[in-house]
């Protein structure tokens, strides 16, 4: 019996010391000190021993148990320590590595150019007005001296929506809306999206315009030219070649268009303008003998193309980050 106890004890101690990890240690504990271990079984057989043997053997078993438990505890904390150390080593952080960083966003090139254009006119004393993108034929055409069968309606390949309304083909309807409600003097800009059935490198079915108009007593063509020249200088710099070219619009007379030099490609038209036609004044109840004014409508997409050397307008609407990140 004593021998058996000694054997179990030393076998157990060996296995405890040899345990490579916590799982192996737990295995040793179950095997040698658990409820179903041989040592526990031995305790149960104490009753079969002679009376004077019992206390001695009992003491031996208890001593073995205590020794095992001490060894288990000690080994357990040693293994935990090792595991902790390994974990820390594996998780080591190099705080000197460069961080991932947050990419900073920025405005879309169209928004940038639109803001720049708006700011130039705000500094010149213009205020901002807006109108709806879904318009009536009246504001888009009739109120602008374009009667139903006037051939110039063809100049704006119109997208109609149900119920007889249309997607505005230009921002000029805002002229009519503002003049109907307010009296001169007025200096207004109206930025916004417009729509046409058009598609090529410089035409997109949706694009951005900035309308502007000024009405007062004695406004002259010189005021128009001076205002636009100042705008062009601020937007493109003094060195950029621009030209004013006679044109035609039903709602202005006389009318001009402005072209800006397009590196290597000649000229690109960026705006239409002119002196507001007396018929437009009559439609909003202004006396054309008393007031005069000028109006212009510029293509923001094209200004952005010229400013940044972009040769296809559709890049503006494709949301390709490789393109957008360049601005
Ligand atoms: N609305 C015209 C266009 O879209 C531009 C324009 C505006 C011309 C104001 C004259 C005056 O083509």
């Amino acid at each position: 019996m004593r021998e058996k106890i000694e054997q179990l004890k030393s076998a157990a101690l060996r296995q405890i010391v040899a345990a490579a990890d916590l799982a192996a240690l737990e295995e040793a504990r179950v095997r040698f000190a658990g409820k179903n271990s041989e040592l526990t079984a031995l305790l149960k057989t104490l009753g079969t021993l002679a009376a004077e043997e019992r206390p001695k053997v009992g003491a031996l078993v208890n001593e073995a148990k205590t020794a095992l438990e001490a060894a288990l505890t000690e080994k357990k904390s040693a293994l935990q320590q090792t595991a902790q150390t390994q974990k820390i080593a594996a998780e080591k952080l190099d705080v000197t590595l460069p961080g991932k960083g947050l990419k900073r966003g920025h405005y879309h090139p169209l928004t940038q150019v639109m803001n720049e254009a708006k700011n130039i006119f705000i500094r010149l004393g213009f205020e901002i007005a807006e109108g709806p993108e879904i318009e009536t034929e009246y504001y888009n055409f009739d109120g602008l001296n374009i009667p139903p069968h006037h051939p110039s309606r063809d100049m704006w390949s119109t997208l109609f929506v149900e119920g007889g309304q249309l997607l505005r083909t230009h921002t000029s309807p805002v002229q009519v809306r503002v003049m109907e409600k307010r009296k001169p003097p007025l200096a207004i800009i109206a930025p916004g999206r417009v729509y046409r059935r058009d598609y090529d490198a410089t035409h997109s079915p949706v694009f951005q315009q900035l309308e502007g108009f000024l009405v007062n007593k004695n406004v002259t063509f010189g005021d128009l030219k001076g205002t636009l020249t100042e705008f062009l200088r601020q937007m493109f710099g003094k060195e950029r070649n621009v030209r004013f070219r006679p044109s035609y619009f039903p709602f202005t007379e006389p009318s001009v268009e402005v072209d800006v030099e397009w590196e290597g490609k000649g000229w690109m038209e960026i705006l239409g303008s002119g002196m507001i036609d007396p018929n437009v004044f009559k439609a909003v109840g202004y006396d054309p003998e008393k007031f005069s004014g000028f109006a212009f409508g510029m293509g923001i997409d094209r200004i952005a193309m010229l400013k940044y050397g972009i040769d296809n307008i559709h890049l503006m609407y494709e949301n390709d980050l490789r393109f957008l990140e360049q601005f």
Side-chain angles (χ1 to χ4, degrees):
M1 182 75 105
R2 284 164 203 258
E3 224 165 274
K4 179 80 185 157
I5 294 169
E6 276 308 316
Q7 259 172 26
L8 279 174
K9 185 177 152 188
S10 53
L13 286 176
R14 250 181 281 123
Q15 190 160 339
I16 289 169
V17 170
D21 54 27
L22 288 167
L25 186 67
E26 177 62 7
E27 211 182 291
R29 185 193 69 77
V30 171
R31 178 156 164 220
F32 293 105
K35 259 196 245 155
N36 300 317
S37 66
E38 285 183 71
L39 214 52
T40 311
L42 271 181
L43 271 180
K44 286 182 191 152
T45 62
L46 281 184
T48 63
L49 296 177
E52 72 274 21
E53 279 290 295
R54 268 181 232 164
K56 290 179 195 155
V57 177
L60 270 180
V61 174
N62 280 333
E63 191 236 324
K65 275 195 114 168
T66 318
L68 289 193
E69 266 150 30
L72 280 167
T73 316
E74 193 186 322
K75 183 71 183 179
K76 189 170 178 184
S77 86
L79 283 174
Q80 277 170 341
Q81 184 69 45
T82 321
Q84 180 75 357
T85 315
Q86 278 168 355
K87 200 173 162 210
I88 289 170
E91 281 178 354
K92 202 162 75 178
L93 271 184
D94 183 351
V95 294
T96 66
L97 282 174
K100 281 198 183 135
L102 281 181
K103 245 191 205 164
R104 230 175 130 164
H106 60 74
Y107 284 121
H108 190 284
L110 280 180
T111 310
Q112 291 181 30
V113 172
M114 182 64 105
N115 286 343
E116 200 176 330
K118 281 189 211 166
N119 286 332
I120 292 171
F121 286 109
I122 285 167
R123 287 195 294 268
L124 291 173
F126 286 73
E127 61 175 299
I128 295 181
E130 280 180 343
E133 287 178 28
I134 295 178
E135 262 299 5
T136 62
E137 287 200 52
Y138 179 77
Y139 286 113
N140 199 82
F141 294 123
D142 305 78
L144 289 163
N145 196 34
I146 317 173
H149 300 293
H150 194 289
S152 77
R153 286 209 183 193
D154 270 2
M155 285 163 74
W156 297 276
S157 322
T158 310
L159 291 155
F160 286 89
V161 298
E162 278 171 28
Q165 288 183 302
L166 48 81
L167 296 178
R168 66 179 178 190
T169 59
H170 50 179
T171 40
S172 299
V174 185
Q175 289 185 39
V176 184
R177 287 181 173 275
V178 172
M179 286 193 278
E180 269 183 351
K181 288 211 193 78
R182 296 171 57 178
K183 296 281 160 255
L186 290 173
I188 306 281
I189 50 170
R193 266 189 292 268
V194 301
Y195 304 85
R196 290 183 201 174
R197 284 190 48 201
D198 259 348
Y199 195 99
D200 64 32
T202 54
H203 294 86
S204 157
V206 55
F207 60 103
Q208 321 273 322
Q209 280 192 337
L210 182 75
E211 189 83 9
F213 61 100
L214 183 144
V215 185
N216 204 349
K217 288 178 178 145
N218 305 317
V219 179
T220 67
F221 193 87
D223 297 320
L224 169 60
K225 196 170 179 199
T227 304
L228 291 179
T229 303
E230 179 58 25
F231 168 79
L232 293 163
R233 284 196 180 145
Q234 289 195 35
M235 182 58 89
F236 292 104
K238 290 193 174 70
E239 304 305 317
R240 191 79 170 235
N241 285 327
V242 301
R243 70 179 183 194
F244 287 72
R245 183 169 41 74
S247 186
Y248 168 76
F249 296 99
F251 35 93
T252 48
E253 179 62 30
S255 305
V256 283
E257 287 181 328
V258 169
D259 300 332
V260 175
E261 194 167 31
W262 197 5
E263 282 143 52
K265 297 195 187 198
W267 301 91
M268 177 150 64
E269 181 222 318
I270 60 153
L271 67 84
S273 66
M275 301 308 289
I276 298 174
D277 193 285
N279 284 338
V280 176
F281 282 151
K282 281 183 204 150
V284 296
Y286 286 6
D287 180 355
E289 298 299 325
K290 221 168 126 188
F291 295 109
S292 57
F294 64 75
F296 56 84
M298 53 181 67
I300 295 299
D301 304 69
R302 291 185 173 190
I303 294 175
M305 290 169 75
L306 287 163
K307 232 176 129 71
Y308 297 125
I310 300 161
D311 54 14
N312 191 322
I313 194 171
H314 304 289
L315 288 166
M316 305 286 190
Y317 297 93
E318 285 166 357
N319 289 334
D320 186 333
L321 286 179
R322 290 168 301 179
F323 169 73
L324 294 177
E325 278 170 355
Q326 297 174 44
F327 301 93

